[in-house]
Amino acid sequence: MRKNSVKNTRINGEVQKELSSIIRNEVKDPRIAEMTSVVSVEVAPDLKTCKAYISVLGNEKAAADTLAGLRSAEGYIRRQLARNVNLRNTPEIRFILDQSIAYGVTMSKLIDDVIKKDSREGAEQENESDN
């Protein structure tokens, strides 16, 4: 099975949906932030391992605590995943903090700042040329 095959894409989507549901509804660890989402999942073609990219809304301490809580509940989450998703092998889950959303927000803010600065400088140059 190729890594980007239709079957693997379907498995990734199903595992992502189930992981989101398990984390939101069944894991009761107080370290896990309320606004935790599973951004994407990459299940290996042999179904042995799985990388789950997690995004946490909050500061860095909340993100670190959430990651620690998820890692400690890994066995429980894997067992629930095995019950809910019928796969030949239940993959070993590795949680990875995804910074792409925060990075995108930061880059968008920087671009907006540059655009504002350019428009101000352009307006100042027009005023000088009018005088």
Side-chain angles (χ1 to χ4, degrees), residues 16-124:
Q16 179 180 355
K17 188 172 76 172
E18 284 301 322
L19 277 179
S20 294
S21 174
I22 292 167
I23 291 170
R24 187 177 339 103
N25 300 325
E26 298 178 27
V27 178
K28 303 296 184 212
D29 194 322
R31 295 176 288 182
I32 298 174
E34 288 290 319
M35 295 299 291
T36 300
S37 59
V38 180
V39 177
S40 70
V41 170
E42 293 176 7
V43 179
D46 63 356
L47 303 177
K48 299 273 187 206
T49 60
C50 167
K51 293 179 185 174
Y53 294 92
I54 305 296
S55 176
V56 180
L57 185 65
N59 58 15
E60 289 183 23
K61 183 182 180 333
D65 287 349
T66 297
L67 215 50
L70 288 172
R71 286 186 178 141
S72 71
E74 207 169 280
Y76 174 77
I77 294 171
R78 186 175 181 199
R79 188 169 51 251
Q80 292 303 107
L81 185 64
R83 287 183 184 160
N84 298 339
V85 179
N86 186 18
L87 294 174
R88 182 178 49 227
N89 297 319
T90 303
E92 184 178 321
I93 305 166
R94 217 174 75 214
F95 292 103
I96 300 168
L97 190 61
D98 184 32
Q99 300 287 353
S100 64
I101 295 173
Y103 179 76
V105 168
T106 303
M107 292 307 291
S108 179
K109 183 180 180 315
L110 290 173
I111 291 169
D112 290 345
D113 291 346
V114 168
I115 291 172
K116 286 178 187 175
K117 182 180 175 186
D118 281 351
S119 66
R120 274 186 274 152
E121 287 177 358
E124 288 173 6

